[in-house]
Amino acid sequence: MSEKVMRRLAKPMLFTAAFIWGSSFFVMKDALDALPVQYLLAIRFTMGTVLLGLVCWKKWKTFTPDYLWRGAIIGGFLYAAYTIQTYGLALTTPSKNAFLTAVYCVLVPFLYWLLAGVRPDRYNVMAAVLCVAGVGLVSLEGDLHINLGDLLTLCCAIFYASHIVAVAKVSPKRDIYLLTVFQFAFAALYAWIGGLLFEQFPAAALSRAEVVLPLIYLGVMATAVALLFQNVGQVWSDPASASVILSLESVFGVGCSVVFAGDRVSVQMAFGFLLIFVAVVCSETKFSFLKKGKVS
């Protein structure tokens, strides 16, 4: 396709990726009712590996052995993040899980500061303050405590942030599509090992359509398709607008959870969601779109 067509398709692809990921929170909640966490992730990442590997079949000619250890590292962070997030989802609502996961966008600059010595700027600090306030409003119960599901979700955000920094460290001069295939493959391997060691294989559950269909959605749409749309969309969009669109994942997550899963959102939680969303936009864009508006 021409460059003009790709630029027109880029933002719809990013919106689609954000919506798919947002909708996956309540889909995973349904699948968790019938499947153990490790086997759910193992099957999901296996499907993602196969599909993305087939889509990127021309990339295999660039393979070198170092893709294995690189994939093992970032696959480990991804596996840890998804595992903790999925356990957290079993103990909290899909809407809270979606928004608390978005905290990782704010954590990245501070984690990168620890590893690379690059200090966060004032927008990162502002985003952190807004995010902490938002998390408090979303997570604190009437007796001012955070439930275990919310705490696990916040921990998963740390691993998501670590995953982003790890990708930045190991991906230069490597094909990101092929590296992602190995990332998924190692995440699947870790999940299969975890399932075999600690869980019973859910053979009976996998024979039911109400379990298989959400699994297919998670493996095909939320893993392979959404990632491909994100990568292509980011190539043909400016980073500021792309990051804002992708941060809508948490908004779509709340919307789908309210409409399809029956979640109830209080005024306090809604205000907390708004603060977290503004924090994500502040951290990712530094409000550059407002500056552009003034210049024009």
Side-chain angles (χ1 to χ4, degrees), residues 3-22:
E3 179 178 339
K4 184 177 180 180
V5 172
M6 291 305 301
R7 290 194 181 280
R8 287 182 176 178
L9 290 176
K11 287 182 173 61
M13 293 176 81
L14 291 170
F15 271 110
T16 302
F19 177 78
I20 291 172
W21 282 325

Side-chain angles (χ1 to χ4, degrees), residues 22 46 51 60 63 83 86 90 112 129 135 137 153 173 186 191 200 205 208 231 247 251 260-261 265 267 277 285:
T46 299
L51 288 172
W60 286 92
F63 171 77
T83 298
T86 308
Y112 198 71
V129 173
V135 168
L137 289 173
T153 305
K173 298 182 180 180
F186 276 100
Q200 184 175 356
R208 307 203 313 262
N231 288 343
S247 69
V251 179
F260 298 109
V265 179
V267 174
F277 177 67
T285 71

Side-chain angles (χ1 to χ4, degrees), residues 63-101:
F63 171 77
T64 53
D66 65 306
Y67 274 91
L68 295 175
W69 68 261
R70 294 172 192 271
I73 291 174
I74 59 177
F77 280 114
L78 189 67
Y79 163 74
Y82 269 80
T83 298
I84 298 173
Q85 180 191 33
T86 308
Y87 280 119
L89 179 59
L91 300 171
T92 189
T93 64
S95 56
K96 293 172 74 173
N97 191 264
F99 253 95
L100 293 175
T101 300

Side-chain angles (χ1 to χ4, degrees), residues 3 8 58 95 112 127 153 163 172 185 218 232 240-241 243 281 291:
E3 179 178 339
R8 287 182 176 178
K58 290 185 178 179
S95 56
Y112 198 71
T153 305
H163 164 256
L218 290 173
V232 175
S241 61
S243 60
V281 173
K291 299 174 185 177

